[in-house]
């Protein structure tokens, strides 16, 4: 009996514990259900991941994402971000004095990652083709109506808008660029009045065109990057057309295209194509990244194209015989300026260079200068020297192995000189020398007291913004280089030049 009573009590305790556990489990389940219903912040893992993806794309895409689009990130995003820090976006410079519009560098801790937008068929529609450019590409039934800046495309499932100019972060530049719209083509659409088998390529010559530097870095080099792959089967449809500008560079367009250049904004035709590109692709200042071009084209190819366009005979800076001699002395070209950043001792510079054995020429390019004639003058030079400014853009015509000497104005402008002309010279196969103007070589020392921040603290002027910097250091300054210092620079340039077949054999 004692044993029986002991078993009965144990069973009772176990039953009580089981009931308690069951009650606790039921309470937990009930609390979980109540919490799920009452707490809107609780989300499934899939929902959280979806929100994260949406937030990433929203923060990084500047062109609108298409319906059911897939967002892809280029492998080169990190590399492009580094380039952007070294050569930041440039604000407006409307000066007609040949200056190059580049802003004071600012620190950017976060930069959106460029992305491509892909439609449901896996083909690009509109995407960020570079930090300074957006591009739209479409194939199918393409109908261009120029007067309304409208392109209808079948198949296309939504509307896109783009300004076809490579300075998208500059509001002032884009205010002079017309916006183009790509729309789905439904029904029969407008009747074709002109049919072409070429690819239509819409670009704008608004913005800062008319300044030599911007002509090349904003339009001509990006046009080459985009059009080269078509092997001439591309037609330029030029928006914000300037006849004087287009005629100035007509030989370049004719190298890239076998078709007529169209003033598209004033065109009454309905032009029909099998494919269209709206907006050129920007890589870097005065440069082509061969790794990003479909054909592997580089700045070397761009310069070869220029030689063909303007009939330039010299691909390399070499003497005609075994060595430089009295019949073919190394030629020095001085880029002259009149309104600002002028050489005040230009004649003395030329005389000193001739005493070193140079054949000296002086040239002053402007918007009225015939491009082909000045290109031939530059191509004949072995060394080109000039103060920082748009005129140095003529370096594109120098033969490979030539030397570019950039005279950097006083005022802490090394960053500006580096991004605009020093770095591009490498891809052009040119030697580069920088000559920094010192305080006693600038006319600013005659205009300001010795203790003025313009002279003692240029960075304080930089901090006031681009307009202050440009006004003081680019527009008010002329220079008088010390002939002794400059002589050493000219001698260094001579040592960098190729010295004929004998030198090649020794190397």
């Amino acid at each position: 009996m004692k044993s029986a009573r002991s078993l009965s009590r144990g069973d009772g305790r176990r039953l009580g514990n089981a009931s308690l556990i069951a009650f606790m489990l039921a309470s937990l389940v009930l609390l979980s259900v109540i919490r799920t219903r009452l707490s809107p912040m609780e989300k499934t893992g899939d929902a959280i991941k979806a929100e994260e993806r949406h937030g990433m794309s929203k923060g990084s895409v500047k062109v609108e994402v298409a319906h059911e689009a897939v967002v892809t990130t280029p492998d080169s995003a990190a590399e492009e971000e580094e380039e952007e820090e070294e050569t930041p976006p440039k604000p407006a410079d409307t000066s007609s004095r040949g200056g190059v519009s580049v802003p004071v560098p600012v620190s950017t801790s976060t930069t959106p990652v460029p992305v491509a937008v892909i439609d449901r068929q896996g083909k690009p529609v509109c995407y960020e083709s570079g930090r300074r450019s957006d591009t739209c590409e479409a194939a199918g039934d393409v109908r261009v109506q120029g007067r309304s800046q409208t392109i209808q495309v079948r198949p296309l499932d939504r509307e896109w808008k783009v300004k076809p100019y490579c300075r998208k972060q500059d509001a002032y530049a884009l205010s002079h660029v017309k916006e183009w719209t790509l729309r789905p083509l439904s029904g029969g659409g407008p009747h074709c009045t002109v049919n072409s088998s070429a690819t239509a390529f819409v670009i704008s010559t608004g913005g800062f065109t008319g300044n030599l530097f911007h002509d090349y870095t904003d339009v001509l080099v990006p046009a080459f990057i985009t059009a080269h792959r078509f092997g001439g089967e591309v037609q330029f449809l030029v928006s914000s057309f300037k006849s004087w500008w287009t005629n100035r560079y007509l030989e370049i367009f004719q190298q890239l295209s076998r078709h007529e250049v169209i003033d598209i904004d004033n065109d009454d035709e309905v032009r029909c194509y099998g494919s269209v590109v709206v907006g050129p692709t920007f890589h870097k200042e005065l440069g082509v990244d061969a790794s990003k071009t479909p054909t592997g084209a580089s700045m070397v190819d761009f310069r070869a194209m220029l030689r063909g366009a303007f009939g330039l005979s010299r691909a390399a800076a070499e003497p005609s015989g075994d060595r430089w001699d009295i019949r073919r002395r190394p030629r020095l070209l001085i880029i002259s300026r009149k309104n600002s950043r002028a050489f005040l001792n230009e004649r003395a510079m030329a005389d000193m260079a001739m005493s070193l054995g140079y054949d000296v020429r002086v040239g002053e390019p402007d918007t009225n200068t015939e491009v082909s004639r000045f290109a031939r003058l530059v191509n004949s030079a072995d060394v080109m020297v000039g103060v920082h400014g748009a005129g140095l853009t003529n370096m594109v015509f120098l033969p490979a192995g030539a030397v570019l000497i950039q005279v950097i104005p006083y005022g802490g402008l090394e960053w500006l000189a580096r991004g605009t002309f020093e770095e591009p010279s490498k891809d052009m196969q040119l030697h580069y020398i920088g000559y920094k103007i010192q305080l006693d070589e600038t006319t600013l020392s005659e205009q300001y007291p010795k203790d003025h921040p313009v002279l003692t603290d240029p960075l304080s002027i930089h901090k006031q913004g681009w307009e202050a910097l440009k006004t003081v250091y680019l527009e008010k300054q002329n220079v008088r280089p010390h002939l002794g210092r400059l002589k050493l620079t000219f001698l260094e340039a001579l040592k960098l030049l190729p010295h004929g077949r004998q030198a090649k054999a020794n190397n």
Side-chain angles (χ1 to χ4, degrees):
M1 294 293 293
K2 184 177 180 180
S3 177
R5 281 196 301 270
S6 175
L7 288 172
S8 176
R9 290 188 185 118
D11 290 340
R13 282 195 297 271
R14 282 192 291 271
L15 287 174
N17 290 339
S19 299
L20 180 60
I21 291 171
F23 175 76
M24 292 175 65
L25 288 174
S27 299
L28 288 172
V29 171
L30 180 60
L31 287 172
S32 177
V33 171
I34 293 172
R35 183 180 179 187
T36 301
R37 291 186 178 181
L38 295 180
S39 177
M41 298 301 293
E42 190 72 13
K43 292 182 174 64
T44 65
D46 290 340
I48 293 172
K49 291 177 181 178
E51 280 198 356
E52 290 174 347
R53 287 195 298 269
H54 176 70
M56 290 171 63
S57 63
K58 184 177 180 181
S60 58
V61 184
K62 299 200 79 174
V63 277
E64 294 178 83
V65 180
H67 178 60
E68 295 185 14
V70 178
V71 179
T72 60
T73 304
D75 294 334
S76 58
E79 179 183 340
E80 289 187 1
E81 186 171 16
E82 182 178 347
E83 289 177 2
E84 184 70 5
E85 291 175 355
E86 294 180 355
T87 310
K90 299 167 178 55
D93 178 3
T94 56
S95 170
S96 60
R97 301 179 179 179
V100 178
S101 67
V102 183
V104 180
V106 293
S107 174
T108 53
S109 57
T110 58
T111 305
V113 178
V115 300
V117 179
I118 310 300
D119 70 9
R120 289 178 295 181
Q121 296 179 329
K123 298 177 181 179
V125 177
C126 293
Y127 57 98
E128 189 176 62
S129 56
R131 291 192 174 278
R132 290 244 297 270
S133 59
D134 290 333
T135 302
C136 298
E137 298 188 42
D141 185 352
V142 177
R143 306 189 187 192
V144 180
Q145 295 173 279
R147 282 200 178 273
S148 61
Q149 289 82 49
T150 301
I151 302 171
Q152 296 188 54
V153 182
R154 184 171 31 231
L156 191 65
D157 64 358
R158 56 150 297 166
E159 184 176 286
W160 301 86
K161 294 181 182 292
V162 65
K163 289 195 172 186
Y165 185 77
C166 292
R167 201 163 281 270
K168 68 180 185 181
Q169 294 164 321
D170 193 313
Y172 182 86
L174 290 191
S175 69
H176 296 82
V177 177
K178 293 183 178 180
E179 185 175 71
W180 279 73
T181 302
L182 286 82
R183 290 178 178 151
L185 174 60
S186 57
H191 176 69
C192 296
T193 60
V194 177
N195 289 278
S196 175
S197 60
T199 293
F201 181 17
V202 179
I203 65 171
S204 175
T205 54
F208 295 138
T209 52
N211 174 295
L212 189 64
F213 178 80
H214 292 289
D215 290 349
Y216 279 88
T217 202
D218 293 354
V219 180
L220 296 174
V221 175
F224 170 82
I225 291 170
T226 308
H228 183 265
R229 71 182 188 264
F230 297 111
E233 282 304 309
V234 60
Q235 183 165 38
F236 286 92
L237 309 181
V238 181
S239 184
S240 303
F241 186 91
K242 304 170 183 175
S243 59
W244 65 267
W245 190 94
T246 305
N247 290 333
R248 180 176 174 83
Y249 298 110
L250 186 59
E251 292 93 339
I252 295 177
F253 289 111
Q254 290 173 338
Q255 286 287 308
L256 294 172
S257 171
R258 289 190 282 269
H259 300 267
E260 178 187 8
V261 177
I262 304 297
D263 176 2
I264 195 62
D265 294 341
N266 296 308
D267 187 58
D268 292 318
E269 307 288 353
V270 177
R271 297 182 178 272
C272 296
Y273 303 86
S275 57
V276 63
V277 179
V278 186
T281 296
F282 178 90
H283 286 170
K284 51 187 175 180
E285 299 292 5
L286 291 180
V288 180
D289 186 341
S291 68
K292 297 178 182 178
T293 60
T295 60
S298 68
M299 202 61 189
V300 173
D301 298 294
F302 177 79
R303 281 159 44 80
M305 182 270 293
L306 292 182
R307 291 197 300 273
F310 299 117
L312 309 181
S313 59
R314 300 181 74 212
E318 297 177 346
S320 55
D322 288 336
R323 60 182 61 85
W324 302 104
D325 56 33
I326 193 169
R327 293 168 298 177
R328 177 63 176 94
R329 292 180 293 162
R331 177 167 291 179
L332 171 71
L333 174 62
I334 299 175
I335 298 296
S336 184
R337 298 177 61 92
K338 298 301 182 193
N339 296 322
S340 65
R341 284 162 283 152
F343 288 123
L344 298 183
N345 56 346
E346 192 172 273
R347 182 68 260 174
M349 289 169 52
D351 291 341
M352 179 267 290
M354 285 190 287
S355 72
L356 299 177
Y358 280 106
D359 173 15
V360 180
R361 296 287 187 274
V362 178
E364 184 183 358
D366 57 32
T367 55
N368 297 318
T369 303
E370 182 185 347
V371 176
S372 59
R373 182 174 65 83
F374 202 82
R376 288 191 291 271
L377 174 62
V378 176
N379 187 247
S380 73
D382 305 291
V383 179
M384 188 173 85
V385 58
V387 184
H388 170 85
L392 290 187
T393 309
N394 286 289
M395 66 193 282
V396 297
F397 303 121
L398 285 171
V403 181
L404 173 68
I405 302 174
Q406 178 177 200
V407 176
I408 305 168
Y410 183 82
L413 301 181
E414 291 81 5
W415 62 272
L416 176 59
R418 181 177 65 250
T420 49
F421 299 114
E422 178 182 354
E423 291 180 352
S425 68
K426 301 172 186 175
D427 291 340
M428 297 186 201
Q429 299 179 327
L430 302 176
H431 298 290
Y432 174 87
I433 302 175
Y435 181 97
K436 289 173 56 177
I437 290 294
Q438 297 178 344
L439 186 57
D440 59 351
E441 296 176 295
T442 174
T443 57
L444 293 175
S445 62
E446 303 165 6
Q447 301 173 44
Y448 293 90
K450 292 183 179 180
D451 58 350
H452 196 281
V454 164
L455 305 179
T456 61
D457 187 14
L459 185 58
S460 67
I461 308 301
H462 289 213
K463 291 178 179 179
Q464 295 177 27
W466 169 252
E467 286 300 321
L469 181 155
K470 181 180 69 141
T471 299
V472 173
Y473 296 116
L474 298 182
E475 295 180 353
K476 289 185 177 182
Q477 179 173 192
N478 291 317
V479 300
R480 188 181 290 105
H482 284 307
L483 295 183
R485 284 187 63 217
L486 191 61
K487 180 179 180 179
L488 295 177
T489 301
F490 286 173
L491 287 172
E492 181 183 354
L494 280 175
K495 294 178 183 178
L496 291 173
L497 288 176
H499 288 279
R501 291 191 294 271
Q502 186 63 40
K504 287 183 178 179
N506 293 336
N507 293 333

